[in-house]
Amino acid sequence: MKPYSYYLGLPAEQLLEEPDAPESLVIAARIELQKAKERREGADRQETSR
């Protein structure tokens, strides 16, 4: 298993691909990706409504 600090430096997408990543970081990565997706969708809706 790699040290915890190794996983802290990974982007969310790459962290999700690491089978030995700590579960707490995997959960945080999923939340981060979901929020980013919601922000993109919100920006798309604003552009469409103009």
Side-chain angles (χ1 to χ4, degrees), residues 10-49:
L10 295 179
E13 296 88 354
Q14 189 176 354
L15 183 65
L16 292 177
E17 296 174 5
E18 288 284 336
D20 294 332
E23 187 64 23
S24 60
L25 294 181
V26 171
I27 292 168
R30 286 185 188 138
I31 292 169
E32 179 182 331
L33 291 174
Q34 182 63 33
K35 285 182 179 182
K37 179 182 173 188
E38 290 170 1
R39 283 192 299 269
R40 283 192 308 272
E41 290 172 353
D44 290 344
R45 280 193 296 269
Q46 283 183 343
E47 285 184 17
T48 305
S49 65

